[in-house]
Amino acid sequence: MSDSSQIALIRKLYGARGDVNAFKALLADDLEYDIAEGFPNGGVYRGLDTTFNEFFPFLADFDEFYAEGDEYFESGDHVIALGRYVGVTKKGRKMQSRFAHFWTIRDGKVVRLQQTADTLLIARALERK
């Protein structure tokens, strides 16, 4: 069974690792990112530029950080992805943390992410020692 176009879009989003232009091309200008409290820079971000300028700077604390989807579920204009964040901090600490992403798609682009994640493992990896 092949993926729906919406699940294929989210797989492509995760597959864009490090390719900012490919990643941005999949997102709507009026994007909303709702990131769990406790996650680095957690909060609600509205607009593509605001999201990139205010949320994504946390990546500077990592040599490597990406999201890997493991399971995908679709309902209407929503895709739910269960997966894990994988990273290596600038101090060489490796981490993995589970997440659930609730994506909303409109006209072939992502318009919203509601994220929940195991933030404790990320916080421990970033501890300032």
Side-chain angles (χ1 to χ4, degrees):
M1 182 175 183
S2 64
D3 287 341
S4 71
S5 62
Q6 294 188 140
I7 290 175
L9 173 78
I10 300 306
R11 285 186 189 274
K12 189 173 180 181
L13 191 82
Y14 293 136
R17 292 183 193 162
D19 185 342
V20 175
N21 290 329
F23 188 75
K24 278 185 168 181
L26 303 172
L27 307 173
D29 289 338
D30 60 345
L31 173 72
E32 179 179 296
Y33 251 47
D34 185 346
I35 306 301
E37 187 174 330
F39 194 88
N41 295 346
V44 178
Y45 300 89
R46 291 183 177 87
L48 186 60
D49 290 337
T50 299
T51 301
F52 272 81
N53 293 333
E54 296 179 20
F55 170 63
F56 283 106
F58 84 89
L59 293 172
D61 291 329
F62 290 88
D63 283 331
E64 181 179 33
F65 189 93
Y66 60 90
E68 182 74 39
D70 296 321
E71 294 183 69
Y72 300 86
F73 308 90
E74 181 178 15
S75 178
D77 60 355
H78 301 282
V79 172
I80 299 166
L82 303 178
R84 57 198 148 53
Y85 293 112
V86 178
V88 179
T89 69
K90 291 285 186 188
K91 295 185 178 192
R93 295 185 188 127
K94 294 180 181 181
M95 50 106 338
Q96 282 197 36
S97 172
R98 294 186 312 167
F99 69 70
H101 287 166
F102 301 86
W103 300 98
T104 304
I105 299 166
R106 182 184 67 226
D107 299 327
K109 292 204 173 200
V110 170
V111 294
R112 185 167 193 267
L113 165 64
Q114 182 177 355
Q115 175 251 36
T116 188
D118 185 347
T119 60
L120 179 61
L121 298 174
I122 297 170
R124 284 182 179 161
L126 290 173
E127 283 179 350
R128 313 282 187 232
K129 290 186 180 181

